[in-house]
Amino acid sequence: MLIWSEVSWIPNKHYSGIYGLMKLVLTKTLPASLERVIVLDTDITFATDIAELWAVFHKFKGQQVLGLVENQSDWYLGNLWKNHRPWPALGRGYNTGVILLLLDKLRKMKWEQMWRLTAERELMGMLSTSLADQDIFNAVIKQNPFLVYQLPCFWNVQLSDHTRSEQCYRDVSDLKLQKQLSELDEDDLCYEFRRERFTVHRTHLYFLHYEYEPVADNTDVTLVAQLSMDRLQMLEAICKHWEGPISLALYLSDAEAQQFLRYAQGSEVLMSRHNVGYHIVYKEGQFYPVNLLRNVAMKHISTPYMFLSDIDFLPMYGLYEYLRYHVWTKGHAPTNFAKWRTATTPYRVEWEADFEPYVVVRRDCPEYDRRFVGFGWNKVAHIMELDAQEYEFTVLPNAYMIHMPHAPSFDITKFRSNKQYRICLKTLKEEFQQDMSRRYGFAALKYLTAENNS
């Protein structure tokens, strides 16, 4: 009731009534410990990761405390009809459907006093607001233009009549999802494969409580893997075999995420481990986005090194401590098993076609290529990229993994039974190799040669 009285004195013609004024008092209603916030209208639809918008806060400079998109209608220009008299605004004004607020700085600037004095002054002539809080925000900005950081218009495309929203689509290359999909040919037999690369998945990082204490000697290694619901039973065994930190990306539906929560809470093994980061990537599309999942798990490690594994490979007991003793700045490569059986010291090997070893690398290694989804070439392409970037491949003796038996995945079944699936995978492989040639030039010729000879 106290907050209600903060804005109830303002006459408002907008259909939202008093609720349309509540953004003005967020510095007071939200916790004092909260320093920044993104404020959205309920009719906003996101086409990309909201984390990208959050990152814009780092671009604020000086006294900029408000992030807003320019209004795309002519409302504040005052020319929509005869005798149209809008509230004062800077140029076209700003739309408050999406706002970035630096709450801590606004409080120090005495924001509450600032907007209240402006509203009182303007209401003496305007008598009421027409667009609720947006009118008052714009009146404040008109007097204090230094407060605003202008967001690119693709962060708030206003699709109502009589707007300039089409300029956002035409002029802004960053309209990520819409623009990239529009460039694809829907008649392409591999269209469904290609569009998967641009699918945006909802992601819940650190689904369960996570704690990590850094190791003083800077040699710590995180096991990185991805899984779906049908591999959940393998988690306990891996946690028993690997005592170090683990980063897992789980591909689940909303219902499966709740099943996983109940499973984890009922497992004494999983509940006793706080150094396992569980990151839920929610299901979207028809393919298993294996390399997207790997990238999510890779991005959220806290150690200088990571062991890139798969969920159906069980580490030998003691592998975590063994790898910490043998950490390398480069990856290790396809194993010469005859040599490995008798080796007592690490040894170098060269890259070969179609090998896909499990490697330990620094956390800044290249990401996996998202064009490869489902079954086929998802790890092979990554190892090829490591080789192109001149990683040295070293095999460790006395270190091994055990491949745990499991039923064939849905994607490998599709690969075996669907000719078009195999044709598209071959096409994607060829396009990847062409991209490698463009990026790495003459050095990438060996990959084409090796593929032709294999």
Side-chain angles (χ1 to χ4, degrees), residues 6-38:
E6 294 287 326
V7 292
S8 60
W9 58 275
I10 303 173
N12 180 25
K13 292 181 180 178
H14 195 259
Y15 64 83
S16 59
I18 194 169
Y19 303 104
L21 298 163
M22 288 298 178
K23 294 175 191 172
L24 295 166
V25 294
L26 290 177
T27 53
K28 193 168 186 177
T29 57
L30 294 176
S33 59
L34 190 61
E35 296 182 354
R36 58 189 63 182
V37 69
I38 297 174

Side-chain angles (χ1 to χ4, degrees), residues 9 46 71 107 118 185 210 266 294 305 329 386 427 445 451:
W9 58 275
F46 261 84
N71 203 42
R107 293 183 184 111
T118 300
D185 179 6
Y210 176 78
R294 288 177 172 137
Y305 297 92
T329 57
L386 294 182
T427 300
L445 286 178
E451 180 67 18

Side-chain angles (χ1 to χ4, degrees), residues 108-119:
K108 291 174 183 176
M109 289 180 175
K110 302 191 184 305
W111 165 252
E112 186 180 353
Q113 183 180 351
M114 187 183 297
W115 73 256
R116 182 180 288 271
L117 289 174
T118 300

Side-chain angles (χ1 to χ4, degrees), residues 41 95 177 207 265 345 454:
D41 281 352
N95 186 282
L177 190 64
F207 189 71
Q265 289 174 337
T345 59
S454 63

Side-chain angles (χ1 to χ4, degrees), residues 68-277:
L68 295 161
V69 169
E70 184 181 52
N71 203 42
Q72 290 157 25
S73 79
D74 291 344
W75 178 269
Y76 288 108
L77 299 181
N79 57 10
L80 292 183
W81 59 79
K82 188 177 180 180
N83 299 324
H84 175 216
R85 186 167 168 246
W87 274 56
L90 196 63
R92 305 187 69 85
Y94 293 92
N95 186 282
T96 56
V98 175
I99 317 177
L100 273 63
L101 294 177
L102 281 180
L103 295 173
D104 53 341
K105 285 192 174 183
L106 281 166
R107 293 183 184 111
K108 291 174 183 176
M109 289 180 175
K110 302 191 184 305
W111 165 252
E112 186 180 353
Q113 183 180 351
M114 187 183 297
W115 73 256
R116 182 180 288 271
L117 289 174
T118 300
E120 289 174 348
R121 182 181 66 248
E122 297 300 332
L123 283 169
M124 292 176 65
M126 299 300 298
L127 303 182
S128 67
T129 62
S130 296
L131 300 182
D133 66 87
Q134 185 167 296
D135 284 339
I136 297 175
F137 270 100
N138 274 289
V140 172
I141 292 168
K142 174 77 170 178
Q143 297 296 316
N144 307 278
F146 56 85
L147 295 177
V148 69
Y149 173 85
Q150 184 167 322
L151 299 171
C153 70
F154 57 77
W155 283 118
N156 184 3
V157 180
Q158 298 144 42
L159 297 177
S160 51
D161 294 335
H162 310 297
T163 70
R164 302 193 307 166
S165 59
E166 73 282 353
Q167 294 191 12
C168 296
Y169 293 105
R170 188 177 68 243
D171 296 339
V172 182
S173 61
D174 303 71
L175 263 183
K176 303 167 182 64
L177 190 64
Q178 296 93 329
K179 184 173 192 301
Q180 289 168 331
L181 285 179
S182 69
E183 292 174 350
L184 298 181
D185 179 6
E186 293 189 29
D187 294 327
D188 180 358
L189 293 177
C190 299
Y191 172 78
E192 293 300 329
F193 282 83
R194 299 188 195 284
R195 79 186 302 273
E196 200 71 24
R197 188 177 183 180
F198 306 115
T199 300
V200 177
H201 294 261
R202 289 181 297 124
T203 303
H204 187 156
L205 302 177
Y206 301 103
F207 189 71
L208 301 179
H209 177 67
Y210 176 78
E211 290 180 9
Y212 171 73
E213 292 187 13
V215 175
D217 61 6
N218 208 33
T219 62
D220 213 356
V221 184
T222 298
L223 187 149
V224 172
Q226 42 72 36
L227 68 151
S228 53
M229 199 68 179
D230 60 339
R231 300 285 191 269
L232 205 58
Q233 73 278 5
M234 297 174 176
L235 277 182
E236 288 192 351
I238 286 178
C239 285
K240 290 177 181 177
H241 279 244
W242 180 275
E243 64 269 31
I246 302 175
S247 181
L248 298 172
L250 297 87
Y251 192 55
L252 305 174
S253 66
D254 290 81
E256 287 172 339
Q258 295 308 307
Q259 286 180 277
F260 165 68
L261 178 61
R262 290 192 292 271
Y263 172 82
Q265 289 174 337
S267 167
E268 185 177 336
V269 173
L270 300 189
M271 284 294 96
S272 67
R273 293 288 299 273
H274 299 299
N275 62 346
V276 180

Side-chain angles (χ1 to χ4, degrees), residues 301-421:
I301 68 167
S302 306
T303 60
Y305 297 92
M306 53 189 174
F307 177 30
L308 305 181
S309 183
D310 274 332
I311 201 67
D312 51 351
F313 278 78
L314 188 64
M316 70 177 199
Y317 281 113
L319 183 60
Y320 168 62
E321 289 297 336
Y322 184 79
L323 291 180
R324 283 187 56 203
Y325 181 75
H326 286 286
V327 292
W328 306 94
T329 57
K330 311 292 185 182
H332 87 271
T335 305
N336 179 339
F337 285 105
K339 183 173 182 177
W340 177 80
R341 288 190 188 99
T342 57
T344 57
T345 59
Y347 59 93
R348 292 269 305 276
V349 294
E350 297 297 324
W351 175 89
E352 296 178 32
D354 292 331
F355 280 113
E356 46 183 10
Y358 292 100
V359 298
V360 178
V361 289
R362 289 193 63 85
R363 62 182 298 167
D364 58 358
C365 83
E367 291 188 348
Y368 287 85
D369 194 301
R370 278 193 62 186
R371 84 185 76 200
F372 297 108
V373 294
F375 174 80
W377 252 60
N378 44 73
K379 289 199 297 290
V380 172
H382 188 243
I383 295 300
M384 189 181 291
E385 184 108 31
L386 294 182
D387 182 66
Q389 294 196 14
E390 299 182 344
Y391 277 60
E392 295 174 358
F393 298 141
T394 305
V395 179
L396 297 180
N398 306 317
Y400 61 87
M401 306 260 288
I402 299 172
H403 191 187
M404 293 188 284
H406 58 80
S409 68
F410 178 66
D411 288 283
I412 197 171
T413 303
K414 283 197 294 185
F415 172 81
R416 290 169 176 169
S417 62
N418 188 324
K419 182 180 179 181
Q420 188 59 46
Y421 192 113

